[in-house]
């Protein structure tokens, strides 16, 4: 026999025996799907994308907070209503145009205000950090905290009223709701003047501030953004989470409630992400009611409805923003009437109105703080330049190319 041929045959036999041993023999085992016996290498887990908010939250280290801002120093507070995304729809001469000109700013004006307060050296702080409730021999009462800030910075609170995206706004040049994008980040959704869907960060007060803080992390203390002041009568954040007592037909009631529950579930992740990224929440009453002239019974019903429909979603809050700036009982600073006492018993401790400066006062007879906020809007841009110069120059902010041609405090 040829030696090479003999060795090849011998090697082939050995390989056959080895394969049979590895597979457990022949017969039915030979027809087994190879994928059932092969080793599958797991795919590597995708690397999670870094959270852009982390860089903001950790920008200032504890050892950089060397400036003490004591209780004797003022904490400035500015508040906005929703900003005008499309001036051509807002200032179209229809019935709401005057109110929008009075109480809102445009996206362009808002951007300039943020840039100005940043350049002036202000830093965003949580409204909730300014005061605390303590209990001592005299009982529970509020105290002004000493804030720890970076050197050269001045504290600033921002709040936003009516962040509900009311139906009337949907036709007057505002965004329609907040959503989450594919990465779980907050975006604004709406329609442009031609009716096209728009998802953006550049057209809404909330998303604009998110973006500004990401680009200027030194503008925020430990990731603070602002406090959102919510009513409830037309839902929150663009989601129709409200009950409707005007519907009486049982079938319609059931249909409304089914949709309401869907809206409640849809808004929960929005709320969660807002909380994760430095936003907090306050009450603006359920029905945007005037607390100065409403009965105690109506205030009680309204407050309970807010707690049931809004508080159940956003969680507890100690902050109440007065609708219309109207103080309960007429004068909450000097007196404590039944309405203010009831609201305090429901857990509210900080009661914010509107004024000509960022005033605050700790009540002596009740564990509560009374404070005022300044309001950048069309009225103050037109007529209150001097009062806001510590923040910005209204003559450089107001956009008369898009606003109605109306009088204002012109340059001399």
């Amino acid at each position: 026999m040829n030696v090479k041929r003999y060795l090849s045959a011998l090697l082939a036999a050995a390989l056959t025996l080895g394969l049979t041993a590895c597979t457990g023999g022949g017969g039915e085992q030979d027809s087994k799907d190879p994928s059932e016996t092969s080793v599958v290498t797991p795919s590597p887990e995708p690397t999670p994308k870094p959270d852009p908010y982390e860089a903001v939250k950790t920008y200032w280290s504890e050892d950089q907070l060397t400036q003490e801002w004591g209780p004797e120093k003022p904490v400035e507070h500015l508040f906005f209503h929703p900003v005008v995304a499309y001036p051509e729809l807002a200032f179209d001469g229809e019935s709401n145009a005057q109110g929008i000109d009075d109480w809102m700013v445009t996206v362009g004006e808002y951007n300039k205000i943020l840039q100005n307060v940043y350049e002036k050296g202000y830093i965003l702080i949580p409204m909730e950090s300014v005061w605390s409730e303590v209990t001592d021999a005299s009982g529970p009462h509020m105290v002004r905290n000493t804030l720890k800030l970076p050197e050269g910075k001045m504290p600033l609170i921002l709040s936003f009223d009516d962040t509900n995206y009311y139906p009337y706004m949907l036709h007057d040049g505002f965004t329609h709701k907040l959503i989450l994008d594919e990465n779980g980040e907050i975006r604004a959704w709406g329609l442009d003047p031609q009716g096209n869907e728009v998802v953006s960060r550049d057209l809404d007060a909330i998303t604009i501030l998110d973006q500004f803080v990401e680009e200027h992390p030194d503008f925020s203390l430990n990731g603070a953004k602002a406090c959102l002041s919510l009513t409830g009568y037309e839902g929150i954040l663009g989601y129709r989470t409200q009950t409707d007592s005007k519907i009486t037909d049982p079938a319609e009631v059931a249909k409304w409630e089914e949709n309401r529950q869907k809206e409640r579930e849809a808004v929960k992740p929005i709320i969660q992400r807002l909380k994760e990224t430095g936003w907090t929440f306050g009450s603006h009453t359920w029905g945007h009611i005037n607390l100065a002239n409403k009965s105690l019974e109506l205030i009680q019903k309204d407050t309970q409805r807010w707690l049931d429909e809004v508080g159940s979603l956003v969680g507890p809050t100690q902050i109440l923003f007065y609708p219309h700036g109207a103080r309960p009982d007429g004068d909450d600073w000097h007196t404590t009437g039944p309405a203010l006492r009831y609201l305090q018993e429901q857990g509210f401790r900080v009661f914010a109105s509107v004024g000509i400066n960022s005033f605050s006062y700790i009540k002596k007879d009740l564990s509560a703080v009374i404070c005022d906020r300044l309001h950048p809007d069309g009225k103050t841009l037109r007529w209150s330049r001097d009062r806001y110069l510590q923040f910005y120059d209204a003559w450089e902010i107001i956009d008369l190319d898009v606003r109605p041609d109306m009088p204002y405090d012109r340059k001399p």
Side-chain angles (χ1 to χ4, degrees):
M1 177 183 287
N2 185 288
V3 174
K4 287 184 179 180
R5 190 173 297 174
Y6 175 79
L7 291 175
S8 296
L10 189 62
L11 179 60
L15 288 172
T16 301
L17 288 171
L19 181 60
T20 302
C22 289
T23 59
E28 294 180 358
Q29 292 291 331
D30 292 338
S31 63
K32 195 171 183 179
D33 186 342
S35 65
E36 295 181 13
T37 58
S38 61
V39 177
V40 178
T41 303
S43 300
E45 289 291 328
T47 303
K49 292 186 178 181
D51 187 339
Y53 180 64
E54 282 302 311
V56 176
K57 197 163 54 172
T58 58
Y59 182 86
W60 295 107
S61 61
E62 195 68 29
D63 59 2
Q64 291 177 297
L65 308 182
T66 55
Q67 179 189 189
E68 291 194 349
W69 197 271
E72 73 284 356
K73 295 182 178 181
V75 175
E76 299 294 351
H77 188 161
L78 301 176
F79 90 93
F80 297 86
H81 288 98
V83 300
V84 176
Y86 301 107
E88 63 269 42
L89 296 180
F91 306 125
D92 58 2
E94 294 184 358
S95 60
N96 290 325
Q98 182 62 60
I100 294 172
D101 183 72
D102 285 345
W103 306 119
M104 275 70 161
V105 297
T106 67
V107 160
E109 292 166 343
Y110 178 68
N111 280 322
K112 288 189 282 187
I113 290 171
L114 290 181
Q115 185 66 38
N116 271 257
V117 295
Y118 169 69
E119 292 176 358
K120 294 275 188 183
Y122 287 98
I123 187 170
L124 299 180
I125 65 166
M127 188 174 181
E128 295 79 358
S129 70
V130 180
W131 301 275
S132 295
E133 185 174 46
V134 300
T135 301
D136 55 25
S138 62
H141 58 95
M142 301 298 289
V143 297
R144 245 294 300 274
N145 298 321
T146 295
L147 304 173
K148 302 295 288 292
L149 306 176
E151 292 294 331
K153 294 289 189 180
M154 300 174 290
L156 176 66
I157 299 168
L158 292 183
S159 57
F160 295 84
D161 280 10
D162 300 307
T163 47
N164 301 77
Y165 302 79
Y166 301 130
Y168 88 84
M169 293 180 175
L170 309 189
H171 311 288
D172 285 333
F174 298 87
T175 55
H176 292 202
K177 68 193 318 184
L178 297 179
I179 64 170
L180 294 178
D181 69 7
E182 63 277 6
N183 297 316
E185 300 300 333
I186 299 290
R187 298 291 183 267
W189 181 91
L191 300 176
D192 68 12
Q194 291 72 46
N196 302 308
E197 291 190 27
V198 177
V199 175
S200 172
R201 301 187 81 188
D202 305 319
L203 298 172
D204 187 279
I206 292 171
T207 55
I208 289 171
L209 184 59
D210 277 342
Q211 190 167 221
F212 190 90
V213 168
E214 281 180 26
E215 295 169 356
H216 307 85
D218 55 324
F219 185 46
S220 172
L221 183 63
N222 301 328
K225 299 280 181 60
C227 190
L228 302 179
S229 169
L230 297 173
T231 61
Y233 68 98
E234 287 181 336
I236 64 171
L237 306 177
Y239 296 81
R240 303 306 166 214
T241 56
Q242 76 276 17
T243 55
D244 191 337
S245 57
K246 296 176 183 177
I247 300 175
T248 56
D249 178 76
E252 290 300 312
V253 170
K255 183 177 178 181
W256 180 276
E257 183 61 21
E258 180 182 5
N259 184 68
R260 187 175 85 90
Q261 292 303 328
K262 290 178 181 178
E263 292 284 277
R264 283 177 61 86
E265 291 305 310
V267 80
K268 286 178 181 179
I270 313 293
I271 293 167
Q272 181 62 33
R273 187 57 182 161
L274 287 168
K275 287 183 174 183
E276 290 171 353
T277 52
W279 298 88
T280 61
F281 297 93
S283 171
H284 202 36
T285 76
W286 184 87
H288 204 270
I289 62 173
N290 187 319
L291 293 167
N293 58 24
K294 292 296 184 288
S295 69
L296 177 59
E297 180 182 9
L298 191 149
I299 291 172
Q300 290 171 333
K301 289 180 179 179
D302 180 274
T303 302
Q304 190 58 54
R305 201 165 181 180
W306 190 92
L307 294 170
D308 291 343
E309 296 184 19
V310 183
S312 61
L313 288 168
V314 302
T317 179
Q318 293 189 334
I319 301 172
L320 177 63
F321 298 95
Y322 296 155
H324 316 286
R327 303 177 182 279
D329 309 307
D331 185 0
D332 60 353
W333 180 17
H334 295 98
T335 63
T336 301
L340 181 61
R341 192 170 295 280
Y342 165 76
L343 292 167
Q344 194 268 355
E345 289 170 352
Q346 304 315 301
F348 298 111
R349 294 294 182 270
V350 180
F351 299 86
S353 186
V354 181
I356 60 173
N357 56 43
S358 300
F359 148 92
S360 68
Y361 173 77
I362 295 176
K363 296 277 288 182
K364 300 295 189 293
D365 61 341
L366 192 70
S367 184
V369 173
I370 308 301
C371 61
D372 278 356
R373 311 172 283 164
L374 290 163
H375 51 112
D377 53 32
K379 276 184 174 292
T380 58
L381 287 177
R382 290 183 185 275
W383 300 111
S384 301
R385 172 177 179 261
D386 291 348
R387 197 191 309 160
Y388 288 77
L389 284 173
Q390 61 184 308
F391 307 108
Y392 53 81
D393 187 336
W395 288 342
E396 297 173 358
I397 301 296
I398 191 168
D399 189 349
L400 297 173
D401 291 332
V402 301
R403 284 185 176 272
D405 184 15
M406 295 168 53
Y408 73 104
D409 184 16
R410 299 176 186 273
K411 294 182 181 181

